[in-house]
Amino acid sequence: MRLLKLVPDDINISFMSFRKVFLTMSALAVVASLALVFVKGMSFGIDFQGGILIEVRMPQAANLSQMRGQLGALGLGEVSLQEFGNPADVLIRIGAQDGDATAQQAAVAAVKDALGAGVDYRRVEFVGPKVSSELLIDGVLAVVAAIVAMLIYIWLRFEWQFGLGAVMALTHDVFLTLGMFSLLGLEFNLSTVAAVLTIAGYSINDTVVVFDRIREDLRKYKTKPVPDLLNDSINATLSRTLMTSLTTLVALLALFFLGGEVIRDFSFAMIFGIMVGTYSSICVASPLLLYTNVAARARGTGDAKEAAETP
């Protein structure tokens, strides 16, 4: 049985020749993503905004206009309806009610009375304004703490130049994911934060594999031009990088199409993040090393002999 090979053994793509194109594209994408986040904003879910979330399955295809009229007459404030998946499935969002948990339960009871019998209530969630703001702050702190911890890890394991490149690529992935969510108006909730943290972990793992090969080659080939060395290192790990990404994407695509509406945004964030993370580990993190004088430092600590340059 022949082994599956996504790329030939003798592949030799000159990634460094296009480094300015890659870095310019990435810089523009990050700026556009930040502009979207700050200008258009994020569609925060109930976790970060507070309120009541009710997922129902109607006895037949939902009549959203009729439901909107029924629920709007209850005087519960802002009510939004969203049909998803099955035409009978509807997501109802209601703003947080004044008062304690009793007031929220009363609002849920009023909705049930208005919709009548025969409705399957699949999910009812309530998050208060104070809890939602705490969750938002905790989510931001979790992402920042993860990035700082990874920076320290890469710094200790390699050199500070590698850590800088890895964290810039990682930040690039996180910003682009946030920008995509803002552009498409996808709900940003705790599941999305979990996806962002997972993307950060995957991206740094992918980058470490490439960096490990670069460091090894820097110590082994002491006179080879750095752009050529970076190209060789990336090409040597390209098959592993693509194979890992594709197998991960297969699982995520199954989750996206078969996992249901509840985890669809999470799956989408992961799919987008894996693709962006693969790109950044090759086209962002490695080219940045050219601008940090990493070769002199790494080669200065290497113990391999120049004679070992013959592959």
Side-chain angles (χ1 to χ4, degrees), residues 11-193:
I11 189 168
N12 184 24
I13 301 175
S14 181
F15 292 100
M16 293 305 114
S17 299
F18 303 100
R19 63 181 184 275
K20 291 183 179 177
V21 176
F22 292 144
L23 295 178
T24 302
M25 285 172 48
S26 294
L28 292 175
V30 168
V31 171
S33 297
L34 290 176
L36 280 168
V37 170
F38 286 109
V39 176
K40 185 181 179 184
M42 304 294 292
S43 177
F44 289 117
I46 192 172
D47 299 330
F48 299 140
Q49 205 169 28
I52 302 170
L53 178 70
I54 306 174
E55 181 184 335
V56 300
R57 169 162 287 184
M58 305 301 289
Q60 54 191 2
N63 184 333
L64 294 184
S65 297
Q66 182 182 356
M67 290 180 64
R68 194 170 285 112
Q70 289 173 317
L71 301 182
L74 297 176
L76 299 176
E78 183 179 350
V79 177
S80 66
L81 305 178
Q82 179 186 355
E83 181 183 295
F84 64 95
N86 191 307
D89 292 339
V90 181
L91 207 58
I92 304 171
R93 290 187 178 86
I94 303 172
Q97 305 297 300
D98 293 332
D100 55 13
T102 304
Q104 318 309 320
Q105 292 170 359
V108 174
V111 170
K112 291 183 177 180
D113 289 340
L115 296 181
V119 178
D120 180 13
Y121 292 88
R122 300 186 150 197
R123 183 164 53 127
V124 177
E125 295 178 2
F126 165 70
V127 179
K130 182 178 179 181
V131 174
S132 62
S133 64
E134 290 176 353
L135 288 174
L136 179 60
I137 294 172
D138 289 347
V140 173
L141 289 177
V143 174
V144 173
I147 292 176
V148 172
M150 291 177 192
L151 170 63
I152 295 173
Y153 166 71
I154 298 295
W155 188 354
L156 293 176
R157 177 168 173 177
F158 297 95
E159 305 286 346
W160 68 265
Q161 294 94 337
F162 287 97
L164 180 64
V167 167
M168 290 188 72
L170 180 60
T171 307
H172 162 276
D173 301 345
V174 172
F175 284 160
L176 260 60
T177 303
L178 295 179
M180 182 58 70
F181 264 69
S182 177
L183 178 65
L184 300 180
L186 299 176
E187 182 177 304
F188 192 86
N189 51 32
L190 281 178
S191 297
T192 315
V193 173

Side-chain angles (χ1 to χ4, degrees), residues 283-297:
C283 303
V284 177
S286 301
L288 284 174
L289 295 177
L290 280 175
Y291 302 98
T292 58
N293 197 29
V294 68
R297 186 172 179 84

